[in-house]
Amino acid sequence: MTKTVDKNKARQGRSGWQVLVVLVCALALAMLVWWGVGIFGSSIDPQDPVGGAPAEQPAAEGTQPAG
């Protein structure tokens, strides 16, 4: 004989407002961290890089490049 199980009792878990709250909080936390990293990254971004390759300067008129 086959046993009949109600479809609501056969579910592995239930989805409810608790799951939604966890997902929304995780999304808000991820957005907050993303914003913080963006602010930190823009604050340490130098306008004049130090120790990098020198910026190319346009040659003065009438001068020839060496070589």
Side-chain angles (χ1 to χ4, degrees), residues 24-55:
V24 168
C25 288
L27 181 62
L29 183 61
M31 290 172 58
L32 184 67
V33 168
W34 189 295
W35 175 77
V37 168
I39 294 295
F40 178 73
S42 65
S43 70
I44 64 171
D45 183 28
Q47 297 296 327
D48 265 339
V50 177

